[in-house]
Amino acid sequence: MERIEIYIKQLVNYGADMGLIEDCDRAYATNRLLELLGLDGIADEKVCEKAELEEILDGICDYAFEKGLFESNSVVYRDLFDTKIMGALIPMPSAVISKFNALYAQSPEKATDFYYHFSKASNYIRDYRVKKDLKWQTESVYGDIDITINLSKPEKDPKAIAAAKLLPQSGYPKCLLCLENEGYAGRVNSPARQNHRIIPLDLGGDDWFLQYSPYVYYNEHCIAFSKEHTPMKIDRGTFEKQLDFVGVLPHYFIGSNADLPIVGGSILSHNHMQGGRYTFAMERAGDEVTLCFEGYENVKASIVSWPMSVIRINSDDKAALCSLADKILCAWRKYTDKGAFVFANTDGEDHNTITPIARRRGEKYEIDLVLRNNITTEEHPLGVYHPHAELHNIKKENIGLIEVMGLAVLPARLKDEIAIMKDAILSGKDFAEIAEIEKHKAWFEAFRNDYSFTEENTEEILKKEIGKTFVKVLEDAGVYKCTPDGRDAFMRFVASVGGKRI
């Protein structure tokens, strides 16, 4: 039996073992794979030898490239092809939705357990790549902060980049979050999604959908997105949809990136939220100041002990929570405090918005309202409330929802840079003489005399200092600093909305 035949049989066995197909689907699935690989038949022999999915797909892709079934043996083209292969094992959307709904009737947890398992088994979530991400925690005065270096997003090779530039502009799908991605074959500049299935949701009376992030930065990292391709917008409807979501899936939280550049997410063109089954440091953070708001006596409120500026509201009355959240949002949109360098608008550009996060706290509903401002200056052209230049060696990108809650998503380059820095420290080399880590020299000099570096502890020291730097990043992103003056300014805003300290 040829090796490709073994891979085909192993993949069909995998599909049956993982619940993607039934035993009665084996012949059909085999024939679909033969068609995709340009084969006429397969030996009538059983294969009992098991292999990891990554190994099976690598073997199939190696064969396909040798036979000229795709043009470049790079990660972009291999991903496009192996997703097409996995699509042969995936049930129709209606079947996945029916199973989700049947399990939801038993419990929300059973429904999401099935869907999360399915999303990994289908290779939509490439678990073997996600496991390569570096993860650790850093102690801080705000609690244990999660640090990740993301390695699961593949880097595009130059050939794929060049090919993408030559492609005619396509408006289909309009973006990576549009429902039309489900089952899409993909292009070199748009991922294949034949193995992708989405679940319909009714949020606030509107059609939305549930899916998981293919990069799962945390446990069961999901995305809820609008059926309509409409821009991000934080308003009362956002709070209503978030509370509906945690009513439908009470074991999940849901949050939304802000709706302005710099303080928003990477996709502002399509209204969406992110959630999942994970407890972030911000959720664990306690109350720094207890508040009450006039007319909302049934709502518990506080300023959270967190490096960013967070008002937490909690109640079993969803309508009261939405009303107070909307009142705070509307007040913040137009709030200016020159003494605190808070400007609602300059030169016709709006600056104030909110990053909201909703969850269940027992039987009650809770919303965290994180005040954001995207003003820029000559000194801080990327944003006053954004990582400042001296921290860009670690984190230069926007501080979005996930970072706001206390999980650093740091660039993949840091994995290699940590190794290079370790070698330089132990061999006594000057960072300034090594191009890859020259940018870290001033950062390293600030703490080099605080430690005695050894082969055993150097990497952990670097990770610890990276974590401490991310805490500073969060502090830079906070509109009101965690100082007496900062808290006084924060309370001035609270008072403007009818709130007071109790």
Side-chain angles (χ1 to χ4, degrees), residues 319-493:
L321 271 186
C322 281
S323 176
L324 179 54
D326 186 49
K327 183 177 181 180
I328 293 170
L329 171 65
C330 291
W332 180 245
R333 290 275 195 200
K334 58 187 179 183
Y335 184 78
T336 291
D337 182 346
K338 294 181 181 179
F341 206 79
V342 173
F343 296 90
N345 182 290
T346 58
D347 300 324
E349 180 184 354
D350 293 330
H351 297 302
N352 290 350
T353 186
I354 277 176
T355 298
I357 302 104
R359 65 181 72 90
R360 299 292 290 272
R361 185 85 72 168
E363 293 300 311
K364 294 183 181 294
Y365 293 85
E366 185 168 274
I367 301 177
D368 285 348
L369 302 167
V370 187
L371 307 183
R372 310 299 300 276
N373 180 288
N374 75 347
I375 195 168
T376 61
T377 63
E378 288 187 8
E379 182 184 2
H380 300 294
L382 298 182
V384 173
Y385 306 109
H386 178 87
H388 291 172
E390 67 272 15
L391 307 179
H392 287 179
N393 63 308
I394 302 299
K395 178 72 173 178
K396 184 178 181 180
E397 300 78 13
N398 291 355
I399 302 305
L401 169 69
I402 296 172
E403 286 92 354
V404 163
M405 295 185 293
L407 190 157
V409 181
L410 301 179
R413 61 174 171 80
L414 282 172
K415 176 179 182 288
D416 291 337
E417 290 171 8
I418 288 172
I420 296 169
M421 284 191 285
K422 177 182 177 180
D423 178 71
I425 291 167
L426 295 177
S427 59
K429 296 176 183 175
D430 186 349
F431 281 24
E433 297 176 357
I434 304 172
E436 295 91 337
I437 60 172
E438 180 183 5
K439 58 182 167 291
H440 296 298
K441 180 176 174 63
W443 174 77
F444 172 62
E445 293 297 335
F447 63 81
R448 70 177 301 168
N449 294 326
D450 297 339
Y451 301 98
S452 295
F453 294 94
T454 67
E455 176 69 35
E456 291 72 27
N457 71 11
T458 298
E459 182 174 329
E460 290 309 308
I461 291 171
L462 290 171
K463 287 181 176 179
K464 177 182 176 181
E465 291 296 329
I466 287 171
K468 288 167 66 174
T469 301
F470 178 69
V471 174
K472 294 177 183 176
V473 163
L474 290 180
E475 290 172 341
D476 278 356
V479 175
Y480 296 115
K481 306 309 175 189
C482 299
T483 63
D485 287 347
R487 283 296 177 241
D488 287 346
F490 199 166
M491 286 304 301
R492 288 199 296 273
F493 169 68

Side-chain angles (χ1 to χ4, degrees), residues 34-329:
L34 291 174
E35 176 189 354
L36 293 172
L37 291 165
L39 295 170
D40 294 328
I42 191 168
D44 186 18
E45 298 177 33
K46 285 188 176 181
V47 171
C48 297
E49 174 192 355
K50 292 186 179 294
E52 295 295 326
L53 180 60
E54 182 179 15
E55 178 186 343
I56 297 169
L57 292 177
D58 277 348
I60 291 174
C61 283
D62 288 344
Y63 171 88
F65 178 66
E66 289 173 6
K67 297 299 181 181
L69 297 181
F70 54 88
E71 65 179 271
S72 173
N73 197 25
S74 66
V75 66
V76 172
Y77 289 91
R78 290 174 74 92
D79 281 1
L80 288 169
F81 191 81
D82 72 18
T83 303
K84 181 192 295 187
I85 291 293
M86 288 304 300
L89 303 177
I90 307 302
M92 292 293 284
S94 56
V96 178
I97 293 168
S98 293
K99 186 163 185 178
F100 182 93
N101 289 339
L103 290 169
Y104 185 87
Q106 299 176 36
S107 79
E109 290 91 341
K110 285 186 177 180
T112 55
D113 285 349
F114 151 72
Y115 185 42
Y116 191 53
H117 166 79
F118 170 83
S119 297
K120 292 195 291 184
S122 69
N123 209 39
Y124 165 71
I125 296 172
R126 295 175 182 264
D127 214 24
Y128 47 87
R129 287 184 184 165
V130 174
K131 288 176 180 176
K132 295 176 183 177
D133 291 352
L134 299 184
K135 300 181 179 183
W136 68 93
Q137 287 191 326
T138 291
E139 293 181 358
S140 80
V141 295
Y142 309 105
D144 291 339
I145 305 296
D146 293 307
I147 311 295
T148 67
I149 295 178
N150 179 260
L151 304 172
S152 55
K153 277 189 178 181
E155 295 290 334
K156 289 188 177 181
D157 64 283
K159 189 169 183 178
I161 293 171
K165 288 181 179 178
L166 297 176
L167 286 177
Q169 289 299 310
S170 171
Y172 185 90
K174 292 179 181 177
C175 78
L176 294 176
L177 291 177
C178 285
L179 66 90
E180 289 82 9
N181 284 281
E182 185 179 41
Y184 185 57
R187 310 181 297 272
V188 292
N189 59 355
S190 183
R193 290 289 183 253
Q194 293 101 322
N195 58 351
H196 179 42
R197 299 294 181 263
I198 58 179
I199 304 296
L201 296 173
D202 181 330
L203 299 181
D206 294 328
D207 291 332
W208 279 55
F209 294 91
L210 175 71
Q211 67 180 43
Y212 288 103
S213 165
Y215 309 114
V216 285
Y217 293 140
Y218 50 86
N219 187 46
E220 298 182 42
H221 177 184
C222 69
I223 299 171
F225 62 96
S226 172
K227 178 181 180 180
E228 304 299 327
H229 181 74
T230 54
M232 293 287 294
K233 180 65 177 175
I234 306 298
D235 56 16
R236 185 185 180 112
T238 305
F239 307 131
E240 292 171 348
K241 289 176 175 62
Q242 288 188 337
L243 294 182
D244 278 357
F245 182 94
V246 297
V248 172
L249 299 175
H251 56 301
Y252 277 13
F253 79 90
I254 193 75
S256 177
N257 270 305
D259 53 359
L260 294 177
I262 297 177
V263 295
S266 57
I267 300 179
L268 293 175
S269 61
H270 196 122
N271 203 7
H272 69 284
M273 303 181 287
Q274 298 181 72
R277 196 172 192 172
Y278 191 74
T279 302
F280 289 86
M282 191 173 79
E283 181 180 344
R284 297 191 298 267
D287 299 339
E288 183 171 311
V289 179
T290 304
L291 306 172
C292 67
F293 287 88
E294 185 179 354
Y296 296 92
E297 286 72 23
N298 62 339
V299 178
K300 179 183 175 183
S302 65
I303 292 175
V304 180
S305 179
W306 192 243
M308 299 185 71
S309 307
V310 187
I311 298 174
R312 177 170 291 165
I313 55 177
N314 176 295
S315 179
D316 55 9
D317 186 339
K318 290 169 64 177
L321 271 186
C322 281
S323 176
L324 179 54
D326 186 49
K327 183 177 181 180
I328 293 170
L329 171 65

